[in-house]
Amino acid sequence: MMELTRKGEYAIRGIVYLAAQPVDRVCLLSDIAAAVDVPATFLAKIFQQFSKIGLVKSYRGTGGGFLLGRVPEKITLLEVVEAVEGPIIPNRCVVGAGECARDVSCTVHPVWKKVQEQVRAALEGVTLKDLAGG
Amino acid sequence: MMELTRKGEYAIRGIVYLAAQPVDRVCLLSDIAAAVDVPATFLAKIFQQFSKIGLVKSYRGTGGGFLLGRVPEKITLLEVVEAVEGPIIPNRCVVGAGECARDVSCTVHPVWKKVQEQVRAALEGVTLKDLAGG
DNA sequence: CCTAACAAGACTTTTTTTATCCTTTTAGGG
DNA sequence: CCCTAAAAGGATAAAAAAAGTCTTGTTAGG
């Protein structure tokens, strides 16, 4: 359980690769995909999600490609993971009131809340700079 | 991401219900299923898994049913969750050497390791006694 | 030996994940 | 202005996992 999907794995590989490139080096999706060994069409979808929230910048047409939306030290692993996997929710009952039909006195609730917080904290404490080994 | 499956959720509900019963009260699967609102056939599978590893004891035939394999304070949430969901593995690369094909220098590795440890610790710190509100 | 209950395995359905393909949009260069 | 390069977006398909059901077997009590 608690397993990152392949999509998440690919997402990390792809953006870490970008973070390891020289600043302002525009990378082709096809090059990134080949370098990190991910199907290009799938990585395209992932980078579209990144692009929408500004994690990466994209340029179309000749000479186009991708580069990081911010400096690597300002992008956390949490952002990357949540961008493609959605929020970290160990159990539906941590989402909010009413979601946990098992009543007000759901004793497991605080446990999942704690798990959620710890995982988020762990991922938030790591930046792309750390991962790219700048 | 990181979401408990319905099976895990059902497993917790079922065994917490057992833990809340008077000691030595043998419970019918059908009663448990009705009480915690889980399909009886599905809960049967879950309790079979519990039974195999001794988390619950089962008795067949007339007057049969289930009861807890140990006192509630000796059963952790971690055991319950791992019994039905398998080990907590945030990423395949934490499993062991060789699993992470991305080389010796996989920089994300330690992050997942930490996540794994924290989640396990959080779940291990909670027992069925805590959850059943003894 | 009849009935109650769990055990076990096969099977089906549904949902999610993992992809691929095709068309559209944007941009640069001749 | 047209051609080509590249990403964007939508639809669809294939594969895997999760969720649930069914049937048969086993064990025990009366």
Side-chain angles (χ1 to χ4, degrees):
Chain A
M1 82 162 294
M2 297 261 141
E3 201 160 346
L4 195 69
T5 65
R6 209 169 304 181
K7 187 178 180 186
E9 167 74 22
Y10 291 169
I12 296 171
R13 283 196 221 164
I15 203 166
V16 166
Y17 174 87
L18 259 197
Q21 299 307 305
V23 187
D24 289 349
R25 154 84 142 283
V26 177
C27 296
L28 287 184
L29 181 78
S30 54
D31 290 346
I32 306 171
V36 301
D37 191 30
V38 168
T41 55
F42 198 4
L43 194 64
K45 295 299 178 193
I46 293 169
F47 270 61
Q48 280 171 29
Q49 291 186 266
F50 283 160
S51 185
K52 274 184 203 158
I53 60 171
L55 240 42
V56 305
K57 278 184 287 200
S58 72
Y59 300 98
R60 302 200 205 187
T62 315
F66 294 91
L67 41 73
L68 232 47
R70 304 198 290 275
V71 288
E73 48 267 53
K74 287 273 175 59
I75 298 179
T76 69
L77 185 55
L78 180 65
E79 287 180 282
V80 173
V81 169
E82 291 201 325
V84 296
E85 303 260 24
I88 287 167
I89 297 171
N91 197 357
R92 300 176 238 292
C93 83
V94 301
V95 176
E99 283 297 325
C100 182
R102 316 258 92 222
D103 286 331
V104 188
S105 57
C106 170
T107 52
V108 230
H109 193 112
V111 181
W112 295 121
K113 199 77 194 169
K114 184 178 171 191
V115 166
Q116 181 184 42
E117 280 159 14
Q118 284 190 335
V119 172
R120 296 189 92 250
L123 299 186
E124 198 160 29
V126 178
T127 71
L128 290 191
K129 190 186 180 193
D130 303 325
L131 296 177
Chain B
M1 79 163 294
M2 297 260 141
E3 200 160 347
L4 195 69
T5 65
R6 209 168 305 180
K7 187 178 179 186
E9 166 76 21
Y10 291 169
I12 296 171
R13 283 196 219 164
I15 203 165
V16 166
Y17 174 88
L18 259 198
Q21 299 308 305
V23 186
D24 288 348
R25 154 84 142 283
V26 178
C27 296
L28 289 183
L29 182 78
S30 53
D31 290 346
I32 306 171
V36 301
D37 191 29
V38 168
T41 54
F42 199 4
L43 193 64
K45 294 298 175 194
I46 292 168
F47 270 62
Q48 281 171 29
Q49 291 186 266
F50 283 160
S51 185
K52 272 185 206 159
I53 60 172
L55 239 43
V56 304
K57 277 184 287 201
S58 71
Y59 299 98
R60 302 199 205 187
T62 313
F66 294 91
L67 42 72
L68 232 47
R70 303 199 290 275
V71 289
E73 49 267 53
K74 286 274 175 59
I75 297 178
T76 69
L77 184 55
L78 180 65
E79 287 179 282
V80 173
V81 168
E82 289 200 326
V84 297
E85 303 260 24
I88 287 168
I89 297 171
N91 199 355
R92 300 176 236 293
C93 81
V94 302
V95 176
E99 283 297 326
C100 183
R102 316 256 91 222
D103 285 332
V104 188
S105 57
C106 170
T107 51
V108 230
H109 192 113
V111 181
W112 295 120
K113 200 78 195 167
K114 185 179 171 190
V115 166
Q116 182 185 41
E117 281 159 12
Q118 285 189 336
V119 173
R120 296 189 92 250
L123 298 186
E124 198 160 29
V126 178
T127 71
L128 290 192
K129 189 186 180 193
D130 303 325
L131 296 178

